[in-house]
Amino acid sequence: MTIYDITRTVSPTLKVWPGDTEYAAAAVVTMAGGAPVNLFTLTLSAHTGTHADAYYHYTKDGAHPAQMPLEQYVGPARVVTV
């Protein structure tokens, strides 16, 4: 079976579902500013970029993602860029 990586790059230009929090990355400290490391704070919705919703997302008694077997997310698919 061939596996295709359809992951979308997360960036400030990536569109989100209306009402969801848009992606943002803010530098907390940087090596260029004299810190020993670069630290960033990321802000985003769980729906940002490539993801799969478990039944828990849209069904009151649906399975939580931790209860979903990975096999349910592998198989034939049609990928469409809109």
Side-chain angles (χ1 to χ4, degrees):
M1 171 177 61
T2 303
I3 297 176
Y4 297 94
D5 182 357
I6 61 168
T7 306
R8 299 289 186 191
T9 300
V10 176
S11 75
T13 61
L14 185 66
K15 301 298 181 197
V16 298
W17 187 263
D20 268 355
T21 302
E22 294 183 4
Y23 169 83
V28 177
V29 295
T30 63
M31 292 177 3
V37 296
N38 293 309
L39 292 177
F40 285 80
T41 295
L42 301 177
T43 304
L44 65 149
S45 164
H47 292 104
T48 301
T50 308
H51 70 281
D53 290 326
Y55 303 133
Y56 174 81
H57 175 62
Y58 52 85
T59 303
K60 184 177 179 180
D61 297 322
H64 188 274
Q67 300 167 323
M68 302 283 296
L70 184 58
E71 293 77 22
Q72 299 221 268
Y73 296 101
V74 177
R78 177 170 297 183
V79 179
V80 179
T81 299
V82 179

